[in-house]
Amino acid sequence: MNTYALTDSWTMTRRELAHWARQPVQVVVGLVFPVMLLLMFGYLIGGGRGVEGEYVDYLVPGMLALTMAFGLEGTMIAVTQDLDKGVIDRFRSLPMANGAVLVGRSAADMLQSTVGLGVLVGVGFALGWRPGGGPAAFVGALGLLLLFRFAMLWIGIFLALVAGKPEMVQAVQILVWPVGFLSNALATPASMPDWLGAVVQWNPMSRTATAVRDLFGGLGTDHVWAAVAWPLALLAVFFPLAVRKFGALGA
């Protein structure tokens, strides 16, 4: 049964990858947008109040975490379009593992997110950022970022299934912005009012950004547990909710 589900999921993943060849502009825009944000905050807007040392060493890990929360609308719109056009109903009529369509969507998104992460890391190096934590810490930091993306992705898939219509995705996607900007991705909580700093400290993205900064900077692993616990907790809630919602669509 597990092999059957993996085969179906891989088939759906290849379907999503085939869409990339037909929609290259959308893929390129998804890769370029976070680069534009990094350059804008690094050169145009600046910042770094309360940041010790070079701001680029604070900014790049924060932007990597921020990017993992953004760009969900592509997958969310694709899910709602399949629902709206009846594609999901046709898939459900086939002898296919329940949830394979969603797993295929998530796998394709994770591949694109990995490529985007690589591009942004390359831009960070071009800006003069140099991680100093060693190869293992570097890989661990990337793993935390992708884990956070995976959790955010399944929240997005669930919300897309609830929304049901492509035109509703934009309204739902707005919910991501508070998560992104009420975090320590771009500024330290110490530079904020006390009440806002407390909110920022508890933001799951802040936990990931802090742990990633520590790993990239060779400052230890004290914050890694929280950066792992938050995404796993979110996945424990939203992964089964999404699969259950998908299974109930035709009921």
Side-chain angles (χ1 to χ4, degrees):
M1 182 63 181
N2 290 334
T3 302
Y4 179 59
L6 287 174
T7 302
D8 290 344
S9 298
W10 174 237
T11 300
M12 291 296 99
T13 302
R14 287 191 292 112
R15 171 179 176 262
E16 301 308 320
L17 296 179
H19 290 169
W20 290 8
R22 295 193 293 271
Q23 299 174 334
V25 174
Q26 181 178 339
V27 176
V28 172
V29 169
L31 295 176
V32 171
F33 180 68
V35 173
M36 291 175 58
L37 283 180
L38 177 57
L39 295 176
M40 181 176 67
F41 281 101
Y43 285 116
L44 297 179
I45 297 177
R49 287 190 305 163
V51 175
E52 298 180 2
E54 294 292 332
Y55 183 48
V56 69
D57 293 331
Y58 188 91
L59 175 65
V60 172
M63 281 301 307
L64 293 174
L66 192 64
T67 302
M68 293 297 97
F70 284 176
L72 297 172
E73 66 273 7
T75 295
M76 293 171 68
I77 288 175
V79 170
T80 55
Q81 284 177 337
D82 282 350
L83 286 172
D84 203 38
K85 295 176 181 178
V87 176
I88 296 284
D89 290 335
R90 291 197 291 273
F91 283 144
R92 287 173 57 82
S93 67
L94 299 174
M96 181 182 296
N98 187 33
V101 175
L102 301 183
V103 173
R105 286 284 185 196
S106 66
D109 185 287
M110 291 301 295
L111 287 173
Q112 184 172 358
S113 297
T114 302
V115 173
L117 199 58
V119 170
L120 205 56
V121 166
V123 174
F125 273 95
L127 293 179
W129 170 68
R130 295 293 183 270
F138 183 83
V139 173
L142 296 183
L144 290 180
L145 290 166
L146 291 173
L147 177 62
F148 180 68
R149 174 64 177 192
F150 194 58
M152 293 297 295
L153 179 61
W154 280 95
I155 294 174
I157 289 174
F158 172 70
L159 293 177
L161 292 171
V162 172
K165 298 286 185 180
E167 56 269 20
M168 291 295 294
V169 168
Q170 185 174 5
V172 174
Q173 173 68 8
I174 292 175
L175 299 174
V176 175
W177 288 83
V179 176
F181 288 109
L182 288 177
S183 73
N184 66 359
L186 305 175
T188 65
S191 67
M192 306 173 188
D194 291 341
W195 66 269
L196 184 58
V199 173
V200 166
Q201 289 280 26
W202 280 98
N203 187 332
M205 180 184 290
S206 295
R207 301 291 185 165
T208 294
T210 299
V212 166
R213 285 192 185 102
D214 286 354
L215 290 173
F216 281 143
L219 302 177
T221 59
D222 291 347
H223 296 98
V224 168
W225 70 269
V228 172
W230 264 113
L232 290 181
L234 293 172
L235 280 170
V237 173
F238 287 97
F239 180 84
L241 282 177
V243 173
R244 192 176 302 121
K245 180 67 177 177
F246 179 81
L249 290 176

